[in-house]
Amino acid sequence: MLIKTVYVSFMILIFAIIGCSGAGKKNGAGIQYEMNKDGGIVFRNSEIQLHFDNRMNETVLQGTDKVTLTREDPGRPSHFVVVNGQNVTDFRMEPSNAECTDIQTRFGKGKRLVLRGVAQGPENCRIEKTLTIELYENYPNAAISLAVYRNLGDKELHLDRAYSDAYRLDAALAVDNGKPWQFWSFQGSALRWGKDYIFPLKSNFYSRNWMGVQTETRNGGGVPVVDLWTAKAGLAIAHLEPAPQLVALPVKASAEKGVEIAIEKDTDSSFPPGGTYQTIKTAVIVHKGDYFNALRTFSGLMAAQGVRMQKPSEESYSAIWCGWGYQSDFTIDDIFGTLPKLKELGLHWVVIDDRWFDRYGDWNIRKETFPGGEQQMKDMVKTLHRQGFKAKIWWTPTNAQPAGDFGEWPSVTQGAADVVKKHPDWLIMDKDGNFVRDERGMYDFCPSVPQVQEYIRQLTVRFIKDWDFDGHKLDAYWTVPPCYNPAHHHKYPGESHEDLPKLLKIIQETTKSIKPNSVTEVCNCGTPQDFYQEAWIDQAVTADPISSAQVRRRIKTFKALMGSHAAAYADHVELTKIDTITWRETGQDFASAVGTGAVVGTGCGRHKIYLARGPG
């Protein structure tokens, strides 16, 4: 639960955004620093303003118009810590000691503001906060920040957690007859299959938006952004680290307090005398319109740090037929029997989907489907090529099969995978020394282990070079949990979570080195697609949508994050047979009328057609 947060004011531009932004980019005049008459500090760019008082309380404004979304109520710091179970928030500073300098970084030209304040902490220990905020000409609507905390006392403390970009928003002052919580929201955490992540808030709403593996669903990852907007203004927060982080982005709405948001990092570490702790880098982004604009800015900031979306191969824009319509008991005759219809429709991509293999992790040929073994698989791909088709192969790079019962996913060859028997030291362990299981009951490889990375490279070579597939469908996984396997010598358990994109990079780069016009797809099923994994694929997918509204919104998300060249599937398989329809197209999200979801029946259509979106 968020207790200490910041009240945020929005001001809407009444003059041309382009003219204002242009002036800032040309000569830096859009970035200004000044002391106001009350002794506070104003740090502004052409589209964002930050106001600080002498207790480091922050107010964020957009533009220069006088429309506000905040209540008349004291602010609280945007960055604070919890020490020995106590919120440390009352940082006193002398505004005249603030430092503002010109900078040139990977984000371009800008200015850096450094503020220092001291608060009374537990055990009569003072805690110093040094808050650094950066504004850039190239990003006139964003402020980048991080904080460093120092224990000035003589006793060892415990640092429980740190909050960054903690704000409280109130829509009532900007929406006629509106309520404090009446915002539309984008919440990028991959919580569970089928859940909307672009939706209007309700009173008494709460979601922690944990970016790691979810305890109940085993989903996880996603896009580390929370965005709230009305018809007049919007504000988003995001972390800007070049690797995924184990953080939460909690959203709490109430009729009394409006909406509280923050970036929450559990630290659970000692805080000795003289010790310091530095937060992750975060950003607050103000905008007009809906989530598209905030995500575009976020993607640009990440690209400046090297987390850049790849330009898809030309084949990525081709429509695809996927064999999952036959589910896990397909036959070679099923595949070949569909080809005449695919030719009639003008489709030339075929996906050999789930259950061509024996066991997860080994990825050897399933004898029931391919009695001729590996040679029969090669012959099938050769036949597809001879008839003018290209082929993808389905697999999951993180999974390794244990022995035992797999519940709703029984369609595997029984017994532990050979790789598990030979290399248990490659697997992720929890705090208690147990091998962790994922949503399908499989173990997880630890992406940080060099031998695992090499094994994934070898598998990629097998599929693309030896078997002659033209790409991958990487499916049915999300992220991996922290790893406590002592054989891995992690600096900290979260390394496994941070390093997962390295496996995608290995797959993408190895595949492109063999077949430059190949296509790599990833599907974090039924959830927001993971931003860091998207940086190493050709195709994103709307991931088992359960409503037409989800299709539209998810494609728009891909366009925002990946640019106009995004190759995004409009995946309709879950809509092809619906027993009970409860769709309702209601509300406005600044793009189109939107739906509230559907009750989906048990069955899918016999065939699954993906419709790829072209560039532009």
Side-chain angles (χ1 to χ4, degrees):
M1 177 182 296
L2 295 182
I3 299 176
K4 300 294 186 180
T5 52
V6 175
Y7 278 73
V8 184
S9 296
F10 286 90
M11 290 183 169
I12 310 302
L13 271 64
I14 58 175
F15 48 87
I17 294 290
I18 294 177
C20 181
S21 299
K25 291 183 179 180
K26 181 178 180 180
N27 54 28
I31 304 177
Q32 300 176 23
Y33 163 75
E34 61 187 37
M35 299 280 291
N36 62 29
K37 62 181 180 180
D38 297 324
I41 291 171
V42 178
F43 195 35
R44 69 180 65 170
N45 208 336
S46 58
E47 297 177 34
I48 190 170
Q49 296 187 34
L50 308 177
H51 292 201
F52 297 92
D53 65 16
N54 62 2
R55 292 190 174 183
M56 302 186 81
N57 297 323
E58 178 186 353
T59 305
V60 182
L61 303 93
Q62 181 181 13
T64 60
D65 199 34
K66 299 300 181 181
V67 178
T68 179
L69 292 180
T70 61
R71 293 175 173 176
E72 294 294 329
D73 203 14
R76 298 183 178 94
S78 56
H79 296 68
F80 65 95
V81 286
V82 181
V83 180
N84 288 16
Q86 174 183 323
N87 290 345
V88 181
T89 60
D90 191 15
F91 292 92
R92 308 295 182 96
M93 75 168 181
E94 176 52 59
S96 61
N97 293 333
E99 303 170 7
C100 187
T101 57
D102 293 330
I103 55 174
Q104 174 78 50
T105 74
R106 65 187 67 189
F107 300 109
K109 291 182 179 181
K111 292 183 182 293
R112 176 181 293 137
L113 175 64
V114 179
L115 306 176
R116 293 181 177 86
V118 177
Q120 189 65 44
E123 300 290 338
N124 204 32
C125 292
R126 296 188 306 155
I127 297 175
E128 179 188 63
K129 178 174 71 175
T130 301
L131 179 62
T132 300
I133 309 101
E134 296 174 350
L135 301 180
Y136 289 93
E137 298 173 14
N138 292 335
Y139 305 95
N141 65 331
I144 300 171
S145 63
L146 63 81
V148 176
Y149 298 92
R150 182 185 300 274
N151 181 358
L152 301 180
D154 57 2
K155 296 180 180 179
E156 181 164 320
L157 305 174
H158 187 270
L159 189 63
D160 302 335
R161 68 189 61 88
Y163 288 95
S164 303
D165 287 340
Y167 301 110
R168 183 179 293 164
L169 291 81
D170 187 336
L173 299 179
V175 179
D176 293 338
N177 300 316
K179 305 297 183 182
W181 42 265
Q182 279 188 318
F183 290 92
W184 272 85
S185 71
F186 173 95
Q187 301 184 39
S189 174
L191 298 179
R192 68 176 182 269
W193 190 98
K195 183 183 183 300
D196 286 336
Y197 50 89
I198 301 162
F199 56 93
L201 295 180
K202 297 181 179 179
S203 62
N204 300 317
F205 172 87
Y206 176 76
S207 177
R208 186 166 182 248
N209 290 317
W210 174 240
M211 297 302 297
V213 173
Q214 308 296 326
T215 302
E216 294 182 359
T217 65
R218 312 306 295 173
N219 300 157
V223 183
V225 175
V226 160
D227 185 22
L228 304 178
W229 70 92
T230 70
K232 293 186 176 180
L235 181 144
I237 57 174
H239 85 66
L240 298 182
E241 292 299 312
Q245 300 292 305
L246 290 171
V247 298
L249 288 89
V251 177
K252 181 182 179 182
S254 69
E256 298 78 20
K257 295 183 178 181
V259 184
E260 297 170 279
I261 60 175
I263 297 173
E264 176 188 284
K265 174 77 170 178
D266 288 332
T267 52
D268 191 22
S269 60
S270 62
F271 198 25
T276 62
Y277 173 78
Q278 179 174 302
T279 67
I280 60 176
K281 186 182 299 180
T282 61
V284 55
I285 301 166
V286 297
H287 63 92
K288 298 178 72 174
D290 64 12
Y291 63 98
F292 182 90
N293 299 314
L295 293 183
R296 285 299 295 147
T297 298
F298 166 73
S299 183
L301 290 167
M302 295 304 296
Q305 300 183 100
V307 186
R308 185 175 293 106
M309 302 293 112
Q310 305 292 308
K311 185 176 181 180
S313 65
E314 287 302 314
E315 281 294 340
S316 301
Y317 302 112
S318 299
I320 290 173
W321 174 78
C322 177
W324 181 240
Y326 294 112
Q327 298 191 359
S328 58
D329 290 321
F330 74 90
T331 66
I332 296 177
D333 288 341
D334 289 332
I335 301 298
F336 287 156
T338 307
L339 300 185
K341 177 58 67 174
L342 299 184
K343 290 180 180 179
E344 179 183 329
L345 294 172
L347 305 182
H348 67 272
W349 273 91
V350 171
V351 178
I352 306 304
D353 210 275
D354 193 352
R355 199 52 178 110
W356 58 266
F357 57 93
D358 58 355
R359 298 180 180 94
Y360 288 80
D362 290 340
W363 305 111
N364 294 318
I365 298 299
R366 180 192 185 195
K367 297 296 184 180
E368 295 89 340
T369 306
F370 296 92
E374 189 171 313
Q375 186 58 51
Q376 191 172 14
M377 173 69 86
K378 293 179 180 179
D379 291 342
M380 182 189 69
V381 175
K382 184 181 298 184
T383 299
L384 290 171
H385 287 165
R386 189 166 54 246
Q387 295 196 35
F389 291 94
K390 292 183 176 294
K392 284 185 187 177
I393 189 169
W394 185 102
W395 62 297
T396 62
T398 62
N399 295 149
Q401 183 173 318
D405 180 15
F406 303 106
E408 66 176 308
W409 301 103
S411 58
V412 293
T413 302
Q414 293 301 306
D418 288 342
V419 69
V420 168
K421 297 174 184 176
K422 294 177 182 177
H423 299 290
D425 53 312
W426 290 4
L427 303 175
I428 290 177
M429 281 184 174
D430 63 18
K431 289 182 179 180
D432 298 322
N434 301 312
F435 294 129
V436 178
R437 295 210 183 201
D438 74 352
E439 186 263 351
R440 292 197 172 194
M442 303 298 159
Y443 293 154
D444 281 325
F445 288 128
C446 181
S448 304
V449 176
Q451 293 92 333
V452 168
Q453 297 172 8
E454 173 59 19
Y455 183 61
I456 294 300
R457 189 195 68 80
Q458 292 174 5
L459 287 173
T460 303
V461 171
R462 180 201 299 177
F463 300 147
I464 302 302
K465 183 178 180 181
D466 299 346
W467 295 0
D468 205 19
F469 276 92
D470 304 292
H472 313 271
K473 179 183 177 182
L474 306 176
D475 193 17
Y477 73 98
W478 292 264
T479 186
V480 296
C483 181
Y484 296 85
N485 192 326
H488 301 172
H489 306 292
H490 290 293
K491 295 178 182 177
Y492 47 89
E495 274 191 324
S496 55
H497 175 77
E498 294 181 13
D499 286 343
L500 177 55
K502 291 182 179 179
L503 299 187
L504 277 294
K505 180 180 180 182
I506 290 168
I507 293 168
Q508 171 83 331
E509 291 184 342
T510 302
T511 301
K512 293 295 185 186
S513 70
I514 300 170
K515 292 191 176 184
N517 205 26
S518 59
V519 177
T520 298
E521 166 200 348
V522 65
C523 179
N524 309 126
C525 296
T527 69
Q529 302 302 279
D530 189 86
F531 176 79
Y532 294 91
Q533 295 179 40
E534 283 183 0
W536 299 106
I537 64 172
D538 296 283
Q539 288 176 327
V541 59
T542 54
D544 303 339
I546 61 172
S547 73
S548 58
Q550 285 189 351
V551 173
R552 292 195 300 273
R553 294 176 190 170
R554 293 176 181 185
I555 288 176
K556 186 173 181 177
T557 298
F558 298 142
K559 290 291 186 178
L561 293 174
M562 305 178 78
S564 60
H565 60 249
Y569 282 156
D571 175 2
H572 292 277
V573 65
E574 309 304 333
L575 308 180
T576 55
K577 183 178 181 182
I578 298 176
D579 297 332
T580 305
I581 298 178
T582 60
W583 294 355
R584 290 175 293 170
E585 302 288 337
T586 60
Q588 291 292 325
D589 65 352
F590 301 96
S592 62
V594 295
T596 56
V599 177
V600 181
T602 58
C604 291
R606 194 60 174 162
H607 302 293
K608 176 175 181 177
I609 303 292
Y610 283 95
L611 301 176
R613 299 282 293 200

